[in-house]
Amino acid sequence: MTQSQLDPTPRPATAGATLLEVDDLHVEFRQRSGVVNAVNGVSYTLAEGETLAILGESGSGKSVSAQAIMGILDVPPAVVRGAIRFEGRDLLQMSEEDQRQVRGPGISMIFQDALSSLNPVYSVGWQIGEMFRVHQGASRKEAKQKAIELMDRVRIPAAAKRVNDYPHQFSGGMRQRVMIAMAIALDPRILIADEPTTALDVTVQAQVMDLLKDLQRETGMGLILITHDLGVVNEVADRVAVMYAGRIVERGTVDDVFTDAGHPYTEGLMNSVPQVEAKGGRLQPIVGQPPNLAAIPSGCPFHPRCARRRLGAEAAPGRDCAVDVPPLRLVAPGREAACHYSEEVLGV
Amino acid sequence: MDTGPPTCAGPHPRGNMGRYVARRLLLTIPVLLGASVLIFSMVYALPGDPIRALAGDRPVSPAVVKVLTERFHLDDPLWIQYWEYLKGLFQGDLGTDFRGRPVLDTIERTLPVTIRLTIVAVVFEIVIGLTAGVLAGIRRNSFFDNLVLVSTTVIVSIPILVLAFLAQLTFGLKLGWFPIAGTREGWYGYVLPGLVLASGSLAYVARLTRTSIAENMRADYVRTAKAKGLPRSRIIVRHTLRNSLIPVVTFIGADIGALLGGAIVTETVFNLPGIGREVFDSIQAQEGAVVVGIVTLMVFFFIFFNLVVDVLYAVLDPRIRYD
């Protein structure tokens, strides 16, 4: 399958070879109460040096799809289908051992809450150094030395002094830097950042995002940024994929999507954010609740909350929002949206 | 005075553990004194006449009664008796029983039996309880997990007296695998009573470990460990087990303190001359000095092992500091 079929959005000029191709990814959790369809046919690609933002609210499947790429969805056990090709090799077809060796040097991940994501009983130096000890067989001493270098690189002050400190002795921003140091230790080709700044103060958020961008410039790694923060997306991402109910509902370059949304859900997201120009006006929330992933609505999963929905006689043939599932389709050059009436939303 | 458990997290590590331990040890002195006063007054309040209890059904001449009463200060008020006891205590003398045997000798005779029984019981707790808990926790809802859940429930619900007799009858008498009672066969004779004594705690350790492991397997830092590409064995041992053991070690430590207090039922059923049986016999015989001496020692063990646990906390969990 060619890249353009999976993901036709134009790339930035700086982007290099394709690193990752996610092809029709499905993730479901089988529980006693029923099947939870967390991810329902997601496809995207990521190139070297590129930043792809995956935007969505809680329960949209953005984190789960990232964890499926990492292959760390075993508690609770998930069923993962589709293909995840990293440098051409399908991770889902690999042995567990081969997959494990991709984690760290190939793809690595940082998480939202650095305090709970770091092990409280080991020093940060030990935890960073573990990457070298396990993947490269480094000695304790070498590992510690490299940990200090990494802590320097992510701009943790007095790294040599703090290498033996424990996670709880660091501030939130410094802890996230420790996570980043650990994730970039083996120069991964891809870094997945799952809400890396959500738990941080605004000023610290900016510092951490700057650090990630600088590291990306140095190493040329591909960055997948999972977030619900539109501001972060606008600042750092090249392209954006908006997820809803485990599907990508809209995709394009950040400039395009943010200028003129092609899906009512994206439109709703943009309207729910305060804007300088619209000072004094009221924010418009998206009415209703995110869908229950164990019982996703028929047709377009967004239709119960959509102001533009057309049902029954109102709808064009084969485009009833409550019946027909809208495919993700090209709606403008380099723009895709999964809405029957996307052209209206775009206002073309 | 703060003898509570250590407090949590601050920007500076550990605090001063040496000072913490010293202060806690000093604090055991008033606690032990208080405990001995309580025990002393309870023994004093016991109904009946110890001299008559000593003599059994035989008549005692008034002269003997008079001599004994004076020697043991039996007619003096409580506080004078206690004062006499304390005076002896500070000279390293725990007093004598009514037969004139020093209490210290009695402790020296019975304590090793209880220590051996405790060691065997703790080994069972660690080896069986911990292993079962770890395996069940790693494979939750597996057959083995359910087996552990059911068997621990059964064990906990059977009174130790019943369990002791059942074990004695089955493994001692019918199968003949273990000595029925007594200490003549050395350590081997402690295996069956040790297992019976450990059973309750063993079941608790298994369940505690299971829950703790299962909880930690879902922890964010275990997810991180997976994302780091660590091998499964390392994820379990270094990132799950280590963190899961904190509550288990705490429990086992406190349990050692309790087990050293002797096990009246187990020691009686298996005829082990340990400290638990001794204190039971002494209560019946109204041997005040023996009861006070041994029970105070039990209290000391309990306090001491709780202190050990509190210190171990900090070794296992760097978030805890002392000050």
PDB file of all heavy atoms in Angstrom, chain B residues 32-58:
ATOM      1  N   LEU B  32       7.602   0.002  78.263  1.00  0.00           N
ATOM      2  CA  LEU B  32       7.792  -1.262  78.980  1.00  0.00           C
ATOM      3  C   LEU B  32       7.407  -1.111  80.446  1.00  0.00           C
ATOM      4  O   LEU B  32       6.774  -1.991  81.032  1.00  0.00           O
ATOM      5  CB  LEU B  32       9.248  -1.724  78.865  1.00  0.00           C
ATOM      6  CG  LEU B  32       9.638  -2.294  77.506  1.00  0.00           C
ATOM      7  CD1 LEU B  32      11.104  -2.644  77.480  1.00  0.00           C
ATOM      8  CD2 LEU B  32       8.791  -3.529  77.200  1.00  0.00           C
ATOM      9  N   LEU B  33       7.796   0.036  81.053  1.00  0.00           N
ATOM     10  CA  LEU B  33       7.429   0.255  82.455  1.00  0.00           C
ATOM     11  C   LEU B  33       5.907   0.251  82.596  1.00  0.00           C
ATOM     12  O   LEU B  33       5.353  -0.404  83.468  1.00  0.00           O
ATOM     13  CB  LEU B  33       7.996   1.585  82.944  1.00  0.00           C
ATOM     14  CG  LEU B  33       9.488   1.562  83.328  1.00  0.00           C
ATOM     15  CD1 LEU B  33       9.937   2.950  83.759  1.00  0.00           C
ATOM     16  CD2 LEU B  33       9.706   0.560  84.466  1.00  0.00           C
ATOM     17  N   GLY B  34       5.259   0.982  81.695  1.00  0.00           N
ATOM     18  CA  GLY B  34       3.800   1.038  81.745  1.00  0.00           C
ATOM     19  C   GLY B  34       3.192  -0.342  81.593  1.00  0.00           C
ATOM     20  O   GLY B  34       2.287  -0.727  82.344  1.00  0.00           O
ATOM     21  N   ALA B  35       3.728  -1.098  80.640  1.00  0.00           N
ATOM     22  CA  ALA B  35       3.193  -2.435  80.410  1.00  0.00           C
ATOM     23  C   ALA B  35       3.367  -3.299  81.650  1.00  0.00           C
ATOM     24  O   ALA B  35       2.452  -4.011  82.065  1.00  0.00           O
ATOM     25  CB  ALA B  35       3.891  -3.071  79.214  1.00  0.00           C
ATOM     26  N   SER B  36       4.544  -3.182  82.286  1.00  0.00           N
ATOM     27  CA  SER B  36       4.781  -4.045  83.447  1.00  0.00           C
ATOM     28  C   SER B  36       3.869  -3.659  84.606  1.00  0.00           C
ATOM     29  O   SER B  36       3.385  -4.518  85.338  1.00  0.00           O
ATOM     30  CB  SER B  36       6.251  -4.018  83.853  1.00  0.00           C
ATOM     31  OG  SER B  36       6.592  -2.741  84.323  1.00  0.00           O
ATOM     32  N   VAL B  37       3.610  -2.355  84.767  1.00  0.00           N
ATOM     33  CA  VAL B  37       2.670  -1.932  85.813  1.00  0.00           C
ATOM     34  C   VAL B  37       1.303  -2.563  85.567  1.00  0.00           C
ATOM     35  O   VAL B  37       0.683  -3.140  86.470  1.00  0.00           O
ATOM     36  CB  VAL B  37       2.517  -0.392  85.843  1.00  0.00           C
ATOM     37  CG1 VAL B  37       1.366   0.018  86.749  1.00  0.00           C
ATOM     38  CG2 VAL B  37       3.802   0.259  86.305  1.00  0.00           C
ATOM     39  N   LEU B  38       0.843  -2.468  84.315  1.00  0.00           N
ATOM     40  CA  LEU B  38      -0.471  -3.018  83.975  1.00  0.00           C
ATOM     41  C   LEU B  38      -0.523  -4.516  84.258  1.00  0.00           C
ATOM     42  O   LEU B  38      -1.447  -5.016  84.913  1.00  0.00           O
ATOM     43  CB  LEU B  38      -0.761  -2.780  82.484  1.00  0.00           C
ATOM     44  CG  LEU B  38      -1.358  -1.426  82.140  1.00  0.00           C
ATOM     45  CD1 LEU B  38      -1.536  -1.291  80.650  1.00  0.00           C
ATOM     46  CD2 LEU B  38      -2.706  -1.269  82.866  1.00  0.00           C
ATOM     47  N   ILE B  39       0.502  -5.218  83.773  1.00  0.00           N
ATOM     48  CA  ILE B  39       0.498  -6.668  83.950  1.00  0.00           C
ATOM     49  C   ILE B  39       0.575  -6.999  85.437  1.00  0.00           C
ATOM     50  O   ILE B  39      -0.131  -7.872  85.951  1.00  0.00           O
ATOM     51  CB  ILE B  39       1.697  -7.295  83.201  1.00  0.00           C
ATOM     52  CG1 ILE B  39       1.617  -6.960  81.714  1.00  0.00           C
ATOM     53  CG2 ILE B  39       1.712  -8.798  83.380  1.00  0.00           C
ATOM     54  CD1 ILE B  39       2.952  -7.013  81.038  1.00  0.00           C
ATOM     55  N   PHE B  40       1.444  -6.250  86.151  1.00  0.00           N
ATOM     56  CA  PHE B  40       1.612  -6.482  87.582  1.00  0.00           C
ATOM     57  C   PHE B  40       0.282  -6.314  88.312  1.00  0.00           C
ATOM     58  O   PHE B  40      -0.104  -7.153  89.121  1.00  0.00           O
ATOM     59  CB  PHE B  40       2.652  -5.492  88.128  1.00  0.00           C
ATOM     60  CG  PHE B  40       3.400  -6.019  89.297  1.00  0.00           C
ATOM     61  CD1 PHE B  40       4.602  -6.695  89.111  1.00  0.00           C
ATOM     62  CD2 PHE B  40       2.910  -5.855  90.583  1.00  0.00           C
ATOM     63  CE1 PHE B  40       5.293  -7.203  90.190  1.00  0.00           C
ATOM     64  CE2 PHE B  40       3.600  -6.373  91.666  1.00  0.00           C
ATOM     65  CZ  PHE B  40       4.801  -7.050  91.470  1.00  0.00           C
ATOM     66  N   SER B  41      -0.431  -5.260  87.990  1.00  0.00           N
ATOM     67  CA  SER B  41      -1.689  -5.047  88.708  1.00  0.00           C
ATOM     68  C   SER B  41      -2.725  -6.089  88.317  1.00  0.00           C
ATOM     69  O   SER B  41      -3.550  -6.488  89.142  1.00  0.00           O
ATOM     70  CB  SER B  41      -2.248  -3.638  88.479  1.00  0.00           C
ATOM     71  OG  SER B  41      -1.568  -2.957  87.488  1.00  0.00           O
ATOM     72  N   MET B  42      -2.669  -6.553  87.071  1.00  0.00           N
ATOM     73  CA  MET B  42      -3.645  -7.577  86.674  1.00  0.00           C
ATOM     74  C   MET B  42      -3.377  -8.888  87.407  1.00  0.00           C
ATOM     75  O   MET B  42      -4.298  -9.564  87.858  1.00  0.00           O
ATOM     76  CB  MET B  42      -3.596  -7.786  85.162  1.00  0.00           C
ATOM     77  CG  MET B  42      -4.346  -6.694  84.414  1.00  0.00           C
ATOM     78  SD  MET B  42      -4.524  -7.062  82.687  1.00  0.00           S
ATOM     79  CE  MET B  42      -3.160  -6.188  82.007  1.00  0.00           C
ATOM     80  N   VAL B  43      -2.079  -9.220  87.518  1.00  0.00           N
ATOM     81  CA  VAL B  43      -1.747 -10.440  88.261  1.00  0.00           C
ATOM     82  C   VAL B  43      -2.160 -10.291  89.724  1.00  0.00           C
ATOM     83  O   VAL B  43      -2.718 -11.190  90.334  1.00  0.00           O
ATOM     84  CB  VAL B  43      -0.231 -10.741  88.153  1.00  0.00           C
ATOM     85  CG1 VAL B  43       0.156 -11.882  89.069  1.00  0.00           C
ATOM     86  CG2 VAL B  43       0.134 -11.066  86.721  1.00  0.00           C
ATOM     87  N   TYR B  44      -1.911  -9.086  90.278  1.00  0.00           N
ATOM     88  CA  TYR B  44      -2.261  -8.788  91.667  1.00  0.00           C
ATOM     89  C   TYR B  44      -3.761  -8.957  91.888  1.00  0.00           C
ATOM     90  O   TYR B  44      -4.212  -9.440  92.912  1.00  0.00           O
ATOM     91  CB  TYR B  44      -1.835  -7.352  91.958  1.00  0.00           C
ATOM     92  CG  TYR B  44      -2.035  -6.891  93.374  1.00  0.00           C
ATOM     93  CD1 TYR B  44      -1.064  -7.168  94.339  1.00  0.00           C
ATOM     94  CD2 TYR B  44      -3.160  -6.158  93.741  1.00  0.00           C
ATOM     95  CE1 TYR B  44      -1.225  -6.739  95.636  1.00  0.00           C
ATOM     96  CE2 TYR B  44      -3.330  -5.721  95.043  1.00  0.00           C
ATOM     97  CZ  TYR B  44      -2.354  -6.011  95.992  1.00  0.00           C
ATOM     98  OH  TYR B  44      -2.514  -5.578  97.264  1.00  0.00           O
ATOM     99  N   ALA B  45      -4.517  -8.560  90.838  1.00  0.00           N
ATOM    100  CA  ALA B  45      -5.974  -8.585  90.968  1.00  0.00           C
ATOM    101  C   ALA B  45      -6.548  -9.979  90.774  1.00  0.00           C
ATOM    102  O   ALA B  45      -7.741 -10.184  90.968  1.00  0.00           O
ATOM    103  CB  ALA B  45      -6.597  -7.626  89.951  1.00  0.00           C
ATOM    104  N   LEU B  46      -5.709 -10.931  90.365  1.00  0.00           N
ATOM    105  CA  LEU B  46      -6.240 -12.283  90.136  1.00  0.00           C
ATOM    106  C   LEU B  46      -6.839 -12.828  91.419  1.00  0.00           C
ATOM    107  O   LEU B  46      -6.249 -12.690  92.497  1.00  0.00           O
ATOM    108  CB  LEU B  46      -5.103 -13.221  89.695  1.00  0.00           C
ATOM    109  CG  LEU B  46      -4.723 -13.239  88.223  1.00  0.00           C
ATOM    110  CD1 LEU B  46      -3.596 -14.242  88.013  1.00  0.00           C
ATOM    111  CD2 LEU B  46      -5.913 -13.606  87.376  1.00  0.00           C
ATOM    112  N   PRO B  47      -8.004 -13.461  91.347  1.00  0.00           N
ATOM    113  CA  PRO B  47      -8.587 -14.053  92.563  1.00  0.00           C
ATOM    114  C   PRO B  47      -7.785 -15.296  92.967  1.00  0.00           C
ATOM    115  O   PRO B  47      -7.081 -15.887  92.162  1.00  0.00           O
ATOM    116  CB  PRO B  47      -9.993 -14.411  92.117  1.00  0.00           C
ATOM    117  CG  PRO B  47      -9.895 -14.604  90.644  1.00  0.00           C
ATOM    118  CD  PRO B  47      -8.808 -13.687  90.159  1.00  0.00           C
ATOM    119  N   GLY B  48      -7.907 -15.651  94.224  1.00  0.00           N
ATOM    120  CA  GLY B  48      -7.269 -16.887  94.686  1.00  0.00           C
ATOM    121  C   GLY B  48      -5.960 -16.615  95.388  1.00  0.00           C
ATOM    122  O   GLY B  48      -5.468 -15.497  95.430  1.00  0.00           O
ATOM    123  N   ASP B  49      -5.404 -17.652  95.939  1.00  0.00           N
ATOM    124  CA  ASP B  49      -4.224 -17.546  96.786  1.00  0.00           C
ATOM    125  C   ASP B  49      -3.116 -18.362  96.135  1.00  0.00           C
ATOM    126  O   ASP B  49      -3.238 -19.580  96.002  1.00  0.00           O
ATOM    127  CB  ASP B  49      -4.560 -18.101  98.176  1.00  0.00           C
ATOM    128  CG  ASP B  49      -3.365 -18.000  99.104  1.00  0.00           C
ATOM    129  OD1 ASP B  49      -2.255 -17.717  98.595  1.00  0.00           O
ATOM    130  OD2 ASP B  49      -3.546 -18.213 100.306  1.00  0.00           O
ATOM    131  N   PRO B  50      -2.040 -17.722  95.707  1.00  0.00           N
ATOM    132  CA  PRO B  50      -0.991 -18.452  94.999  1.00  0.00           C
ATOM    133  C   PRO B  50      -0.364 -19.554  95.848  1.00  0.00           C
ATOM    134  O   PRO B  50       0.066 -20.573  95.320  1.00  0.00           O
ATOM    135  CB  PRO B  50       0.030 -17.361  94.642  1.00  0.00           C
ATOM    136  CG  PRO B  50      -0.309 -16.192  95.463  1.00  0.00           C
ATOM    137  CD  PRO B  50      -1.769 -16.282  95.765  1.00  0.00           C
ATOM    138  N   ILE B  51      -0.310 -19.345  97.152  1.00  0.00           N
ATOM    139  CA  ILE B  51       0.333 -20.367  97.994  1.00  0.00           C
ATOM    140  C   ILE B  51      -0.524 -21.634  98.033  1.00  0.00           C
ATOM    141  O   ILE B  51      -0.027 -22.751  97.950  1.00  0.00           O
ATOM    142  CB  ILE B  51       0.586 -19.808  99.407  1.00  0.00           C
ATOM    143  CG1 ILE B  51       1.566 -18.629  99.284  1.00  0.00           C
ATOM    144  CG2 ILE B  51       1.135 -20.874 100.321  1.00  0.00           C
ATOM    145  CD1 ILE B  51       1.733 -17.836 100.540  1.00  0.00           C
ATOM    146  N   ARG B  52      -1.844 -21.401  98.070  1.00  0.00           N
ATOM    147  CA  ARG B  52      -2.733 -22.567  98.043  1.00  0.00           C
ATOM    148  C   ARG B  52      -2.634 -23.248  96.683  1.00  0.00           C
ATOM    149  O   ARG B  52      -2.637 -24.473  96.589  1.00  0.00           O
ATOM    150  CB  ARG B  52      -4.186 -22.141  98.280  1.00  0.00           C
ATOM    151  CG  ARG B  52      -4.376 -21.334  99.520  1.00  0.00           C
ATOM    152  CD  ARG B  52      -4.916 -22.059 100.689  1.00  0.00           C
ATOM    153  NE  ARG B  52      -5.660 -23.276 100.503  1.00  0.00           N
ATOM    154  CZ  ARG B  52      -6.684 -23.565 101.272  1.00  0.00           C
ATOM    155  NH1 ARG B  52      -7.129 -22.659 102.101  1.00  0.00           N
ATOM    156  NH2 ARG B  52      -7.260 -24.736 101.172  1.00  0.00           N
ATOM    157  N   ALA B  53      -2.536 -22.439  95.643  1.00  0.00           N
ATOM    158  CA  ALA B  53      -2.432 -23.007  94.313  1.00  0.00           C
ATOM    159  C   ALA B  53      -1.169 -23.850  94.199  1.00  0.00           C
ATOM    160  O   ALA B  53      -1.165 -24.922  93.592  1.00  0.00           O
ATOM    161  CB  ALA B  53      -2.410 -21.898  93.263  1.00  0.00           C
ATOM    162  N   LEU B  54      -0.098 -23.383  94.842  1.00  0.00           N
ATOM    163  CA  LEU B  54       1.170 -24.095  94.816  1.00  0.00           C
ATOM    164  C   LEU B  54       1.044 -25.444  95.498  1.00  0.00           C
ATOM    165  O   LEU B  54       1.559 -26.462  95.019  1.00  0.00           O
ATOM    166  CB  LEU B  54       2.223 -23.228  95.512  1.00  0.00           C
ATOM    167  CG  LEU B  54       3.631 -23.784  95.616  1.00  0.00           C
ATOM    168  CD1 LEU B  54       4.272 -23.794  94.235  1.00  0.00           C
ATOM    169  CD2 LEU B  54       4.464 -22.933  96.572  1.00  0.00           C
ATOM    170  N   ALA B  55       0.314 -25.445  96.606  1.00  0.00           N
ATOM    171  CA  ALA B  55       0.233 -26.665  97.403  1.00  0.00           C
ATOM    172  C   ALA B  55      -0.795 -27.634  96.847  1.00  0.00           C
ATOM    173  O   ALA B  55      -0.771 -28.815  97.174  1.00  0.00           O
ATOM    174  CB  ALA B  55      -0.120 -26.294  98.838  1.00  0.00           C
ATOM    175  N   GLY B  56      -1.678 -27.177  96.036  1.00  0.00           N
ATOM    176  CA  GLY B  56      -2.714 -28.051  95.525  1.00  0.00           C
ATOM    177  C   GLY B  56      -3.680 -28.433  96.628  1.00  0.00           C
ATOM    178  O   GLY B  56      -4.117 -27.578  97.397  1.00  0.00           O
ATOM    179  N   ASP B  57      -3.996 -29.724  96.753  1.00  0.00           N
ATOM    180  CA  ASP B  57      -4.990 -30.154  97.749  1.00  0.00           C
ATOM    181  C   ASP B  57      -4.386 -30.398  99.121  1.00  0.00           C
ATOM    182  O   ASP B  57      -5.098 -30.543 100.107  1.00  0.00           O
ATOM    183  CB  ASP B  57      -5.669 -31.450  97.258  1.00  0.00           C
ATOM    184  CG  ASP B  57      -6.526 -31.175  96.049  1.00  0.00           C
ATOM    185  OD1 ASP B  57      -6.923 -29.985  95.892  1.00  0.00           O
ATOM    186  OD2 ASP B  57      -6.774 -32.094  95.258  1.00  0.00           O
ATOM    187  N   ARG B  58      -3.052 -30.459  99.177  1.00  0.00           N
ATOM    188  CA  ARG B  58      -2.421 -30.758 100.472  1.00  0.00           C
ATOM    189  C   ARG B  58      -2.570 -29.572 101.420  1.00  0.00           C
ATOM    190  O   ARG B  58      -2.574 -28.413 100.973  1.00  0.00           O
ATOM    191  CB  ARG B  58      -0.934 -31.067 100.275  1.00  0.00           C
ATOM    192  CG  ARG B  58      -0.691 -32.472  99.748  1.00  0.00           C
ATOM    193  CD  ARG B  58       0.749 -32.598  99.320  1.00  0.00           C
ATOM    194  NE  ARG B  58       1.046 -31.688  98.223  1.00  0.00           N
ATOM    195  CZ  ARG B  58       2.261 -31.249  97.953  1.00  0.00           C
ATOM    196  NH1 ARG B  58       3.276 -31.586  98.726  1.00  0.00           N
ATOM    197  NH2 ARG B  58       2.476 -30.432  96.927  1.00  0.00           N
TER     198      ARG B  58
END
